[in-house]
Amino acid sequence: MHASTPPAPRPRFLVPGIAIAAIIVAVCVIVGLAVVWNSSGTQDAAGTTPAAAEPTPTPTSSASAPSTASADYRELCDANGAAAQAKQGTVADDLAATRRQSAAIRALLPMTGVPAEVAAGAEVFAASTDELIGVLEGLGPQTQIADVPVETFTNTQAMQAVGSDPNYQAFIGWTIETCGLALAG
């Protein structure tokens, strides 16, 4: 008779880790969809697409909203959209897109003219892109992102902090709002 061996215990952080990864992917997808949707333009009654106008600052009552929707944020918005799309490709695609995100956020640091929690969240975002770049550099460039175990990303310090950091969450909300405003035609 064979001795019964209990099933291997699941790692304690598997479910929260997957939840964090799902949040990160969802944010990337939302930002990517906002970029794609807003950059597609609108058509007037004659069926022509009007030229994109530079956005004008609009007052807002939300404390987490940006005070201006300037073209200065366009590269960050575009980089976030590219990063969201790269999640469907290879490690090399994601690495290039993450490097672009890192450069875009670093060009804006330290952020001014935004709420303090958004500026602090931008610093967390920059750190998370740096750590993600390190993780991606350790993987085969032709590997599909979908084939990389989720734990590869969720077991990093920055990614674990991202899931619970209210400043990072404020930054993500601000980014979604800003990219929608900055790219509206």
Side-chain angles (χ1 to χ4, degrees):
M1 183 158 220
H2 292 271
S4 171
T5 58
R10 281 192 158 162
R12 198 170 86 160
F13 297 105
L14 180 62
V15 173
I18 291 171
I20 290 169
I23 290 168
I24 293 166
V25 170
V27 167
C28 287
V29 168
I30 290 168
V31 170
L33 290 175
V35 169
V36 170
W37 181 76
N38 285 315
S39 66
S40 65
T42 57
Q43 292 189 343
D44 62 17
T48 60
T49 302
E54 281 300 311
T56 56
T58 54
T60 175
S61 60
S62 171
S64 66
S67 59
T68 63
S70 121
D72 294 340
Y73 302 124
R74 187 172 306 277
E75 175 56 20
L76 178 63
C77 294
D78 292 347
N80 286 338
Q85 291 176 345
K87 301 293 182 246
Q88 299 172 14
T90 65
V91 167
D93 298 334
D94 198 20
L95 182 57
T98 303
R99 284 182 174 141
R100 182 177 174 193
Q101 266 186 316
S102 181
I105 191 59
R106 295 229 176 265
L108 297 173
L109 295 178
M111 290 188 78
T112 58
V114 297
E117 64 271 13
V118 171
E123 298 284 346
V124 175
F125 179 75
S128 71
T129 61
D130 292 344
E131 191 168 11
L132 180 56
I133 287 168
V135 168
L136 291 168
E137 287 175 337
L139 302 172
Q142 296 308 313
T143 304
Q144 292 292 312
I145 288 295
D147 295 338
V148 178
V150 71
E151 296 83 19
T152 303
F153 303 108
T154 59
N155 287 340
T156 64
Q157 273 186 331
M159 291 299 164
Q160 290 173 1
V162 160
S164 61
D165 188 319
N167 293 329
Y168 178 82
Q169 293 163 0
F171 173 74
I172 292 300
W174 175 90
T175 301
I176 292 169
E177 184 174 335
T178 299
C179 290
L181 289 173
L183 295 176

